[in-house]
Amino acid sequence: MKYLKHLTGIYNLSVGQITDILDETSVQKKLLLSNESIENLKGKSVLNLFFENSTRTRLSFERAENLSGLNITNFNPENSSLAKGESIIDTIRNIDALKFDFIISRHPTPGFTNLLLNFTKSQIINAGDGTNEHPTQALLDMFTLREHFGNLKNKKVCIVGDISHSRVALSDIFALSKLKANISVCAPNVFIPRNISSLGVSVCNDINFAIKNNDALILLRVQLEREAGNSISSLNEYRKFFGINSERLKLNENIAILHPGPFNKNVELDEDILDLDNLFIFEQVTNGLAVKLALFKLMLGS
Ligand code: CP
């Protein structure tokens, strides 16, 4: 594949680079599931620089780092000298002085990875920057859809929920668009950015129509920590008009359902659908591990 030094977002990736990552993810998933050995990247170092909470992204990176034999350092902002007033730029300058090969970064500020690019010489992977991008989530979502459908060209995919506050939505839209899927969003108007049509996305406000007329739904969490809960009248109301449940799924029993997690149970989706075969939430987490193994191999490996 064309050399990939940093992964800051899907926006900057070519179709060929996305396809190469998904193809390598397929190889890594097979190795993972058959307990075959993963390429050892011994001697390379990685810093996990997480300023926001995370379960799936952080654990899957750490697991991939362990499986790849990387030398791992974890940064905890709460017990760092940031708490003594050291600035973020000076913190990054000190991190640069420690000469990590790789920095995996999650931060609430959109564009934070650009600070890392400006002030360090490490290779950077964006593990989520505010409401901007979450490229590894989009890659695992594309892998999950491609594994299920074979090809995303002309597949109808609807992103449901809090588009405005979601970095996953933007990365998924960039990726789906590059892979030539047919993209729509379905949400209350307060959750839909006004310029969404400029991204080649159509809008629907009727979840029953979205279920009937799509091949896949990507559900998004109502992001209470980003004040999304204040812009809708109540979570119960959201569930009533946009929640996915077994009754609604009778409209299209084969539709594939994804959610990046964590989900608000009985808000975006009801508990009674968690065991459905066409719900990929936990498969997505395994696929996320394979994506990280693929990225380490392609960005650091031989
Ligand atoms: N999907 C995702 O990014 O989950 P975490 O916040 O738990 O990492």
Side-chain angles (χ1 to χ4, degrees):
M1 95 186 263
K2 190 167 173 292
Y3 184 58
L4 180 66
K5 183 164 187 201
H6 307 289
L7 178 63
T8 56
I10 299 293
Y11 183 80
N12 299 318
L13 293 183
S14 67
V15 176
Q17 285 174 316
I18 294 175
T19 306
D20 284 351
I21 295 168
L22 300 185
D23 289 346
E24 184 59 35
T25 299
S26 190
V27 173
Q28 295 299 321
K29 187 172 180 185
K30 281 193 192 97
L31 294 176
L32 194 63
L33 296 184
S34 59
N35 284 322
E36 285 181 57
S37 60
I38 307 286
E39 179 170 338
N40 195 311
L41 303 171
K42 201 171 167 209
K44 301 284 186 182
S45 57
V46 59
L47 173 69
N48 295 312
L49 185 64
F50 278 62
F51 291 87
E52 270 186 352
N53 293 345
S54 168
T55 296
R56 282 143 287 268
T57 312
R58 179 153 187 166
L59 284 183
S60 57
F61 266 113
E62 282 196 42
R63 178 111 174 88
E65 290 157 10
N66 274 307
L67 288 167
S68 304
L70 292 166
N71 189 321
I72 306 167
T73 303
N74 289 313
F75 175 87
N76 181 352
E78 277 148 35
N79 60 21
S80 75
S81 289
L82 283 166
K84 295 185 229 166
E86 186 164 42
S87 74
I88 188 68
I89 300 287
D90 290 339
T91 302
I92 295 172
R93 285 195 174 108
N94 280 282
I95 287 171
D96 183 51
L98 295 170
K99 307 201 179 304
F100 293 100
D101 292 301
F102 242 112
I103 298 176
I104 315 298
S105 137
R106 172 172 285 195
H107 196 278
T109 305
F112 180 76
T113 40
N114 291 327
L115 268 189
L116 295 173
L117 290 177
N118 286 337
F119 288 96
T120 75
K121 288 174 247 4
S122 305
Q123 286 183 258
I124 309 297
I125 293 183
N126 180 4
D129 61 332
T131 53
N132 181 34
E133 280 226 41
H134 192 348
T136 59
Q137 181 67 46
L139 289 166
L140 77 89
D141 289 348
M142 295 312 110
F143 180 80
T144 305
L145 291 169
R146 199 181 78 158
E147 203 174 41
H148 184 63
F149 292 116
N151 189 332
L152 282 180
K153 193 166 178 207
N154 298 329
K155 283 282 168 295
K156 288 184 269 176
V157 181
C158 180
I159 304 176
V160 181
D162 184 2
I163 318 294
S164 296
H165 294 90
S166 173
R167 53 194 173 212
V168 175
L170 199 53
S171 288
D172 275 344
I173 288 170
F174 290 146
L176 288 165
S177 163
K178 286 175 196 247
L179 297 176
K180 304 271 184 283
N182 183 322
I183 317 164
S184 59
V185 295
C186 180
N189 283 330
V190 286
F191 281 170
I192 299 180
R194 264 181 295 175
N195 61 353
I196 193 84
S197 58
S198 67
L199 298 176
V201 172
S202 58
V203 175
C204 124
N205 298 115
D206 178 350
I207 191 64
N208 293 330
F209 180 91
I211 292 172
K212 260 192 259 178
N213 291 287
N214 280 284
D215 300 301
L217 301 179
I218 299 177
L219 311 182
L220 299 176
R221 184 168 59 96
V222 177
Q223 300 203 33
L224 299 169
E225 77 279 20
R226 296 193 212 280
E227 299 182 0
N230 296 338
S231 52
I232 50 171
S233 51
S234 75
L235 292 180
N236 271 341
E237 188 131 327
Y238 181 88
R239 178 189 190 187
K240 183 169 156 202
F241 289 105
F242 293 94
I244 306 299
N245 55 44
S246 49
E247 193 52 37
R248 284 205 160 118
L249 287 180
K250 287 180 187 158
L251 294 167
N252 182 356
E253 288 181 343
N254 292 323
I255 194 164
I257 302 167
L258 283 70
H259 192 307
F263 50 81
N264 297 304
K265 209 185 298 183
N266 299 326
V267 178
E268 298 105 41
L269 72 172
D270 276 14
E271 193 159 12
D272 67 353
I273 66 164
L274 282 179
D275 292 328
L276 290 182
D277 286 342
N278 48 332
L279 186 105
F280 292 98
I281 293 180
F282 300 106
E283 190 67 21
Q284 282 173 270
V285 180
T286 305
N287 293 341
L289 172 55
V291 163
K292 277 112 193 167
L293 290 169
L295 287 172
F296 287 140
K297 167 104 193 283
L298 292 170
M299 295 171 79
L300 269 184
S302 51

